[in-house]
Amino acid sequence: HLLHHNRASSTTRALAAKLEAGQSVRIVSGDPRYVGMVGTVAKAQRIRCYITLPGVEKAIYLFSSDVEQVVSEAVAVAS
């Protein structure tokens, strides 16, 4: 029951996330070996995305809710 609830919650949050190819993102949930790593969106779909990470051969397939956009400090200061 908990697994189903967690997956349903991830799907709902993923629908609200708007990602585009080329964006820098930080992985915030999912496979523990990738959490905290910063990568680039290779392909963004409706609720899933492919993230390329430095040092990892294949793109990682995640819910869009498993990543957050990385805002560079220069952009954050200007805002």
Side-chain angles (χ1 to χ4, degrees), residues 11 14 20 22 25-26 29 45 51 57-58 69-70 73 76:
T11 302
E20 296 179 7
V25 294
R26 176 176 291 109
S29 61
Q45 299 174 334
I51 307 298
E57 188 174 325
K58 293 177 71 175
Q69 184 175 359
V70 174
E73 290 181 20

Side-chain angles (χ1 to χ4, degrees), residues 11-50:
T11 302
T12 303
R13 287 190 319 272
L15 288 169
K18 301 296 178 206
L19 298 174
E20 296 179 7
Q23 283 182 326
S24 292
V25 294
R26 176 176 291 109
I27 300 174
V28 294
S29 61
D31 191 336
R33 62 186 157 171
Y34 301 122
V35 171
M37 295 181 79
V38 176
T40 305
V41 177
K43 182 179 178 183
Q45 299 174 334
R46 191 170 138 246
I47 63 169
R48 295 283 198 151
C49 59
Y50 290 90

